[in-house]
Amino acid sequence: MIYSGKQLRALIFPLMFEQFLNVLVGIVDTLMVSKAGEAAVSGVALTTNINLLIIQVMAALATGGAVVCSQYNGRKDKKDATFAAAQLETVLLIFSIVAAFICGVFGHLLLPLIFGKVEESVMHCAWIYMFVTAFSYPFLGIYNGGAAIFRSVGNSKVSMLFSILMNAINIVLNAIFVAMGYGVLGVALATFISRMICGIGMTVLVTRPYNPLQIKQIKSLRPDKKMIARILRIGIPNGIENSMFQVGKLMVVSMITRFGTAAIAANSVSYSIIEFPNIPGMSMGLALITVVGNCLGAGEVRQAKKYTKKLISLAYAGDWVMNLLLFLFASQVVSVFSLSAEATGMAVEVLRWFSSIAILIWPLSFTLPNALRAAGDVKYTMLTGIISMWLFRVLCSYILAVVCNLGILGVWFGMFIDWGVRSVCFVMRYFSGKWQNKEVIS
């Protein structure tokens, strides 16, 4: 066996705790900024959708690097695994600098272009948050690269500890800046400072002997076409999929803006809250990248299938528990936020629908495809994700929310339809066995 029960626990538990902390910081940001009113919540929510687009692309590139590093590691090829790690850092740094420049310089033009006409106070808050957080992208990029490197060798404890540090700094600075009356600017500054500190810290750690894939020389960061091509072979399709997914979400959010500030705020709070029940599924998805990648690198297809089934089962067990709690306590959770009665009612209704559907198909829609990606079957996951997003989520959201006048609930029903299509496609692909024949490293 490539992974013992102890090794799996050592990988999974830090990942779950890290995901919990990542979700917590989103909740805290929304909670803190809600003290400044619904315009502030709505403005931050609009910008967050663009930020998530950038973060999703970073995550896709990090996944590409993690798959390559994992497969080389499974093959016991430390030299190429280390070189792949260095090239991953280069790729993420270049992308994040370009993204920071575009959002920092042209963000004031992008916001009205994407979201159309919204209240002036909402747009003002959105621009402040975008401008400040854009400068944190390079630090977040190198942090994601380092986290992916450590996960590829089965060490998820490092990213967990840095996540604790990042969240602690963010929460403390949020409280200080908001108490000082900085509002949206304070929340954005807290995010920037916490990412900067952790990005620098992670960079230092990947150059130390503690890292099995230690980056010792600056020249190893010099772009190498062949290795970058291997990373991008996974990262680009995954990045396109994630980008199109997020662009689709932006279009859906732009639909919600027509229903008023209360709807925008309810949607923002709901999106923050639903990350909690998704923690088990997200954590198992990250674990699948490492586990399946190492198994296939070692030529152990049978074990890759065995661990995939085990981790999907764990994702379902965790999702059932978390979504049951969300369904029962949705009202109490939403009441923590400073929302109007109208926005609160919308959020509670949305969350109860979410928890009822997620327990059935969320892990198949978003956890299972990571096993396919770890095998290099990224074109299928990309095409499935893009087609399902645009043909089902966006189109169905428009029909249900706008044409059928279901409002914000129609948008979420469109999302549930998208999940159902994805889950069917990914299950069929897994049992077809075609993913087993893909090649990542030669």
Side-chain angles (χ1 to χ4, degrees):
M1 292 179 63
I2 293 180
Y3 287 91
S4 65
K6 182 179 180 180
Q7 288 174 317
L8 278 180
R9 289 190 294 272
L11 174 66
I12 291 170
F13 288 141
L15 283 175
M16 292 191 69
F17 190 60
E18 180 186 355
Q19 292 305 304
F20 169 77
L21 292 173
N22 289 341
V23 170
L24 180 63
V25 74
I27 291 282
V28 170
D29 275 359
T30 305
L31 183 59
M32 290 287 188
V33 81
S34 70
K35 304 301 180 184
E38 285 190 359
V41 174
S42 300
V44 171
L46 295 183
T47 298
T48 296
N49 283 286
I50 297 177
N51 283 344
L52 283 174
L53 173 60
I54 306 300
I55 292 170
Q56 290 284 359
V57 176
M58 289 186 194
L61 295 173
T63 295
V67 169
V68 174
C69 290
S70 294
Q71 292 213 9
Y72 276 125
N73 190 60
R75 187 189 280 186
K76 309 299 181 185
D77 185 347
K78 184 176 180 180
K79 180 181 177 181
D80 280 334
T82 302
F83 187 51
Q87 293 299 297
L88 172 60
E89 290 282 17
T90 299
V91 169
L92 279 167
L93 183 60
I94 293 172
F95 169 79
S96 59
I97 290 174
V98 172
F101 175 79
I102 293 173
C103 291
V105 175
F106 301 107
H108 65 292
L109 301 175
L110 291 173
L111 287 167
L113 182 65
I114 294 171
F115 299 111
K117 187 177 181 180
V118 297
E119 293 180 19
E120 186 177 345
S121 58
V122 173
M123 189 60 71
H124 178 68
C125 292
W127 165 234
I128 291 174
Y129 193 74
M130 168 171 276
F131 181 77
V132 176
T133 56
F135 290 98
S136 71
Y137 291 163
F139 300 105
L140 188 60
I142 56 179
Y143 168 80
N144 282 338
I149 291 167
F150 280 106
R151 287 182 193 135
S152 70
V153 294
N155 186 347
S156 56
K157 188 183 295 183
V158 168
S159 57
M160 178 193 73
L161 293 175
F162 271 100
S163 186
I164 292 173
L165 177 62
M166 188 185 300
N167 280 271
I169 294 171
N170 192 47
I171 290 172
V172 171
L173 292 181
N174 265 330
I176 293 173
F177 290 146
V178 172
M180 292 172 65
Y182 287 119
V184 173
L185 176 61
V187 173
L189 285 171
T191 299
F192 168 76
I193 295 171
S194 61
R195 288 176 176 176
M196 178 182 68
I197 292 174
C198 288
I200 294 172
M202 182 65 83
T203 300
V204 171
L205 200 57
V206 296
T207 63
R208 296 292 184 265
Y210 178 76
N211 176 18
L213 306 181
Q214 181 187 6
I215 301 174
K216 298 179 181 180
Q217 298 177 319
I218 294 179
K219 68 178 184 180
S220 65
L221 298 171
R222 186 182 304 144
D224 178 84
K225 291 183 180 180
K226 190 174 181 180
M227 187 60 76
I228 288 178
R230 290 194 182 106
I231 294 172
L232 296 184
R233 198 176 299 133
I234 305 295
I236 287 181
N238 197 19
I240 292 173
E241 178 189 349
N242 288 355
S243 299
M244 290 298 99
F245 181 81
Q246 202 59 40
V247 169
K249 282 180 65 178
L250 285 172
M251 290 190 65
V252 170
V253 170
S254 69
M255 296 179 200
I256 292 175
T257 60
R258 72 179 63 199
F259 303 124
T261 301
I264 299 173
N267 191 66
S268 171
V269 168
S270 297
Y271 261 112
S272 297
I273 292 172
I274 64 170
E275 297 297 329
F276 269 109
N278 290 343
I279 287 173
M282 290 189 295
S283 303
M284 298 308 157
L286 289 172
L288 278 171
I289 293 292
T290 298
V291 173
V292 173
N294 274 275
C295 288
L296 294 179
E300 292 286 347
V301 175
R302 185 182 62 82
Q303 290 200 51
K305 295 168 69 174
K306 172 187 173 183
Y307 288 123
T308 297
K309 293 175 183 177
K310 183 171 185 176
L311 291 174
I312 292 295
S313 297
L314 290 173
Y316 261 107
D319 272 24
W320 270 81
V321 173
M322 298 291 281
N323 279 293
L324 178 60
L325 292 173
L326 176 61
F327 185 90
L328 295 174
F329 299 105
S331 297
Q332 291 84 345
V333 173
V334 174
S335 67
V336 175
F337 298 86
S338 302
L339 298 180
S340 65
E342 181 185 8
T344 297
M346 291 180 185
V348 171
E349 184 178 24
V350 161
L351 290 173
R352 285 190 169 144
W353 273 104
F354 169 87
S355 57
S356 300
I357 303 298
I359 59 175
L360 302 176
I361 53 178
W362 198 94
L364 295 179
S365 305
F366 297 99
T367 305
L368 178 60
N370 269 6
L372 306 180
R373 294 184 184 107
D377 194 12
V378 288
K379 289 184 180 179
Y380 181 85
T381 58
M382 176 189 72
L383 291 174
T384 299
I386 292 174
I387 293 171
S388 181
M389 181 68 185
W390 290 92
L391 189 59
F392 293 96
R393 181 178 296 202
V394 174
L395 183 59
C396 290
S397 292
Y398 179 78
I399 293 172
L400 295 172
V402 180
V403 178
C404 298
N405 201 31
L406 291 179
I408 184 176
L409 197 58
V411 168
W412 285 69
F413 283 162
M415 179 172 70
F416 302 150
I417 293 170
D418 169 41
W419 292 359
V421 173
R422 288 170 184 266
S423 61
V424 170
C425 292
F426 291 137
V427 168
M428 289 174 60
R429 185 67 168 187
Y430 176 80
F431 282 109
S432 75
K434 293 180 180 179
W435 57 277
Q436 301 171 28
N437 304 318
K438 301 297 179 179
E439 186 178 85
V440 174
I441 59 176
S442 56

